[in-house]
Amino acid sequence: MSKLTFSTLNLDSLTQVVTLTEQEGVNHNWTHIKDVSLTEDEQRRVQEIQNSIGAEPIHLMNEATIWARAIYPLLMLAEQGSIRAWGEVSLNTVYPTFELDGIADGVLGKSVAGRLKSPYLVVVETKRGIEAQNPLIQLYEQLLAAAHLNWKTNHHDPQVVFGCYTIADSWTFVRAEVMGMETDKPSLTIEISKEYTEKVDASTILKLLKQIVAYY
């Protein structure tokens, strides 16, 4: 059995264990904001987030500062009901022919008794420097892990989960459909959104997050 870790995964090792289909574009139905609005309080808090990064050279900030000032506050604003924002979440699960193991930078998911039960959206914060990994491939593995964890709860096949990767204050969203949970080589179909920049598109990012949360 193969063991894949989020920090070392590459495209070759991924496609050895899953059938991958990628669909880029900006016209995916799930990216169209429908019947989602922001309250006055949400608009005010979004403006505060934008103000906190608007005058700063954000590409010069370290990753922890960007996460604290720009990324996690928007995730928290998308919370609804039992769906909560989490940071540094372990996503470990076992498919029939491979195992997934690693830490997600952030998650929006169902919380029960103070613990994460179902991860619905996973977030990869792109690392810098010579140790940086391809955030999209890392996100694919986390989406596979999230889908399998949710499948163990509800046994739906296919599973639909969402994710995003961030680079500084920019967000790119992904919709994943995973089929064949009990097969030797499941299929992973990916749809990728356009890039949204938080200094300009913070309200749109929050609306997309809220729309994803409402899906569940």
Side-chain angles (χ1 to χ4, degrees):
M1 174 179 290
S2 300
K3 183 173 182 179
L4 307 179
T5 59
F6 298 166
S7 61
T8 61
L9 184 72
N10 58 44
L11 184 60
D12 287 340
S13 60
L14 178 68
T15 54
Q16 286 177 12
V17 296
V18 301
T19 300
L20 175 64
T21 303
E22 297 171 288
Q23 301 173 357
E24 289 188 280
V26 297
N27 292 317
H28 302 307
N29 287 335
W30 59 272
T31 64
H32 300 166
I33 297 172
K34 306 168 185 176
D35 302 322
V36 178
S37 60
L38 303 183
T39 67
E40 290 186 4
D41 182 61
E42 288 170 336
Q43 294 175 25
R44 176 184 59 79
R45 293 170 70 181
V46 166
Q47 187 61 57
E48 289 174 351
I49 294 170
Q50 288 182 302
N51 290 343
S52 74
I53 62 174
E56 301 291 338
I58 196 164
H59 288 279
L60 300 180
M61 292 180 179
N62 63 39
E63 294 153 7
T65 300
I66 296 171
W67 180 262
R69 293 171 70 96
I71 308 303
Y72 196 71
L74 278 185
L75 292 177
M76 290 184 63
L77 280 178
E79 292 180 338
Q80 182 177 343
S82 63
I83 297 179
R84 293 285 181 264
W86 295 71
E88 295 290 312
V89 174
S90 176
L91 296 178
N92 305 316
T93 193
V94 180
Y95 279 81
T97 58
F98 60 95
E99 179 181 354
L100 298 169
D101 180 36
I103 303 293
D105 294 315
V107 168
L108 277 171
K110 184 176 181 180
S111 175
V112 177
R115 59 183 174 82
L116 178 67
K117 183 176 182 181
S118 299
Y120 299 141
L121 177 136
V122 294
V123 183
V124 169
E125 183 186 23
T126 303
K127 306 301 186 286
R128 302 173 186 171
I130 60 174
E131 297 182 356
Q133 303 292 323
N134 184 328
L136 197 55
I137 302 304
Q138 186 177 354
L139 179 57
Y140 290 177
E141 183 179 7
Q142 296 186 13
L143 290 165
L144 281 167
H148 196 265
L149 289 168
N150 292 343
W151 173 79
K152 290 195 292 186
T153 299
N154 58 34
H155 294 287
H156 294 166
D157 194 343
Q159 286 282 333
V160 174
V161 288
F162 295 87
C164 67
Y165 66 89
T166 63
I167 302 174
D169 69 324
S170 70
W171 300 55
T172 302
F173 288 87
V174 169
R175 179 188 185 273
E177 182 174 292
V178 184
M179 184 179 297
M181 292 292 178
E182 297 182 279
T183 65
D184 288 344
K185 193 172 186 179
S187 64
L188 171 63
T189 300
I190 294 292
E191 295 180 350
I192 304 172
S193 80
K194 70 176 185 178
E195 183 180 278
Y196 301 87
T197 302
E198 196 165 326
K199 285 186 178 181
V200 177
D201 303 314
S203 293
T204 301
I205 293 169
L206 179 55
K207 288 178 181 179
L208 275 171
L209 289 170
K210 291 182 65 175
Q211 184 163 273
I212 289 170
V213 167
Y215 176 85
Y216 296 98

